[in-house]
Amino acid sequence: QVQLVESGGGLVQAGGSLRLSCAASGSISSIGTMAWYQQAPGKQRELVAVITSGGATNYADSVKGRFTISRNNAKNTVSLQMNSLEPEDTAVYYCNADITPTRVVGRIKYWGQGTQVTVSS
């Protein structure tokens, strides 16, 4: 069974930094695009950053220049380095990955359980 497990959330003051990590485990044949989403209270889940299997990245305008997404294909992990955090970044952050499990044709989108990031002013 495939699962994504996130870590690294917490409470930080404005201007501070946090690093989120997400590890995929289970019977995995391959992993395509990986991404981080955020969901603030009362709002829809929104894409923050995405990285392809080849390493191409894209970011939401609100985090460009502050957040950096990276991945380790050998370890099936994706990370999000968040710098210059703002109170507006407060949200639950979810890891997402397009994964082909073993003995399965095609890719399935998996989600982590979410990790809370709170930025105080």
Side-chain angles (χ1 to χ4, degrees):
Q1 184 175 356
V2 174
Q3 61 176 349
L4 299 178
V5 178
E6 298 135 341
S7 60
L11 173 64
V12 65
Q13 289 188 333
S17 298
L18 281 175
R19 184 176 180 87
L20 306 182
S21 295
C22 173
S25 63
S27 300
I28 295 171
S29 177
S30 66
I31 301 178
T33 298
M34 306 182 82
W36 288 94
Y37 287 73
Q38 66 177 191
Q39 187 166 19
K43 294 187 177 181
Q44 290 188 334
R45 193 171 297 186
E46 297 179 340
L47 179 65
V48 174
V50 60
I51 185 167
T52 67
S53 57
T57 59
N58 201 9
Y59 297 90
D61 288 343
S62 61
V63 306
K64 282 181 180 176
R66 300 188 298 121
F67 291 9
T68 302
I69 188 170
S70 60
R71 65 189 286 169
N72 184 321
N73 291 333
K75 295 183 177 180
N76 290 341
T77 59
V78 62
S79 298
L80 186 68
Q81 178 66 42
M82 304 186 295
N83 299 328
S84 302
L85 282 161
E86 304 168 351
E88 293 75 21
D89 297 320
T90 295
V92 177
Y93 284 74
Y94 295 90
C95 172
N96 167 271
D98 293 334
I99 296 174
T100 299
T102 55
R103 297 186 296 278
V104 172
V105 176
R107 287 201 168 132
I108 300 171
K109 191 175 290 291
Y110 288 87
W111 292 91
Q113 80 284 0
T115 185
Q116 177 70 46
V117 171
T118 303
V119 184
S120 63
S121 58

